[in-house]
Amino acid sequence: MEWRGRRESSNIEDQRGSGGGFGGGGGGMRIPIRAGGGGIGLLIILGILWIGFGINPMSVIGMDDGTSSSQTQTAQRGPGVDGTADETDNFIAVVLGDTEDVWNRRFQDMGRQYRDPTLVLFTDRVSSACGNASSASGPFYCPNDQKLYLDTSFFRQLDRDLGASGDFAQAYVIAHEVGHHVQNMTGILQRTTEMRQRMSEAESNAVSVRVELQADCYAGIWAHDTQQAGYLEKGDLEEALNAASRIGDDTLQRRSQGTVVPDSFTHGTSAQRVEWFRRGATSGDMNQCDTFNGRI
Ligand SMILES: [Zn+2]
């Protein structure tokens, strides 16, 4: 992707190197667990959801795209290891800025107003309005604070462990999370979250897959517009399609546990993720991203 010298988003919150979030080392505990405060209350509510409805609270609040629980953090990161790649920061800021341009224009065309999300960079652990999370959960979007959360070590994992290399693989990850923000703006995220709370786990997972595939399709819409603007390089779309394939539920499950349990899918198969990204990228038409009606 051609990104050098282009506008960088200012909607980035860098929470790295500040003690690693809650429970981080060395007196930098920014966000302690507040006795009797909202944190505990949220945990209790989520705990009840989990026990009462068999819903993984992480999925209720949109934790996401991980290589999830089966993958453990491998890299031992010391100071600087993560932060050395200044270029990565610039790249992320340009991609986020590009999504702002695309979606502001798109919403304007629909006669609506887009609100730019904030991207939080963190290391290891982070506290969001959706609860606490660790890097192991992968990048995620929290609708409550309208922020995207990203530990850039995920990019390394994507490249080295999952075989999804290239800058546009990384751009796709960001664009997918922004896709969830778009869903928050259109109201689909709230509606599906409410629906899912009344469902069985298998049903809830099935809805989650449709939500995720729509976010993939919206990532494709972004790629489409960015290509129209002339910023894509040869091989970029292939990098995104490869990444979509590498993080399909069936592929991840086969890697981590050797078997595949379709009822537990929350993001869709590799084939589905590739298909919906491609659909958005080739059509450039948001109406083509209706994953909620008909077959997926
Ligand atoms: Zn997602």
Side-chain angles (χ1 to χ4, degrees), residues 64-65 176-177 180 212 267:
D64 193 66
D65 283 336
H176 171 95
E177 298 307 334
H180 286 311
E212 294 298 332
H267 286 69

Side-chain angles (χ1 to χ4, degrees), residues 141-160:
Y141 172 72
C142 172
N144 300 349
D145 55 19
Q146 306 197 2
K147 291 179 180 178
L148 291 64
Y149 291 84
L150 174 69
D151 181 336
T152 52
S153 70
F154 181 73
F155 288 160
R156 220 172 24 241
Q157 205 182 347
L158 203 59
D159 182 2
R160 291 185 197 164

Side-chain angles (χ1 to χ4, degrees), residues 252-267:
L252 289 178
Q253 286 190 359
R254 212 170 282 123
R255 275 177 56 94
S256 63
Q257 61 200 40
T259 53
V260 167
V261 186
D263 269 1
S264 69
F265 290 175
T266 54
H267 286 69

Side-chain angles (χ1 to χ4, degrees), residues 102-103 106 213-228 237 241 272-291:
V102 164
W103 288 112
R106 287 262 175 186
L213 293 177
Q214 186 175 60
D216 280 336
C217 191
Y218 286 165
I221 295 279
W222 167 76
H224 171 274
D225 287 9
T226 302
Q227 184 171 41
Q228 294 289 99
L237 284 178
L241 290 165
Q272 287 174 319
R273 300 200 70 165
V274 166
E275 167 59 22
W276 284 94
F277 176 86
R278 192 202 307 275
R279 207 176 280 201
T282 51
S283 71
D285 178 5
M286 282 179 78
N287 295 322
Q288 297 292 314
C289 295
D290 181 4
T291 55

Side-chain angles (χ1 to χ4, degrees), residues 103-113 182 186 286:
W103 288 112
N104 271 296
R105 197 170 48 240
R106 287 262 175 186
F107 272 63
Q108 217 164 30
D109 290 349
M110 294 187 290
R112 305 183 60 165
Q113 177 104 38
V182 171
T186 62
M286 282 179 78

Side-chain angles (χ1 to χ4, degrees), residues 4 18 38 162 199 215 220 275 280:
R4 284 187 178 77
S18 56
L162 300 174
M199 290 176 160
E275 167 59 22

Side-chain angles (χ1 to χ4, degrees), residues 33-97:
I33 296 186
R34 294 179 298 276
I40 295 281
L42 181 65
L43 284 178
I44 290 169
I45 290 164
L46 291 175
I48 289 167
L49 275 178
W50 201 344
I51 294 159
F53 303 96
I55 296 168
N56 178 350
M58 291 297 115
S59 66
V60 171
I61 57 183
M63 295 293 162
D64 193 66
D65 283 336
T67 39
S68 84
S69 53
S70 52
Q71 295 271 333
T72 48
Q73 284 298 102
T74 45
Q76 286 295 317
R77 285 188 300 277
V81 179
D82 239 349
T84 47
D86 282 347
E87 271 219 318
T88 302
D89 290 5
N90 297 336
F91 174 74
I92 289 168
V94 169
V95 170
L96 185 64

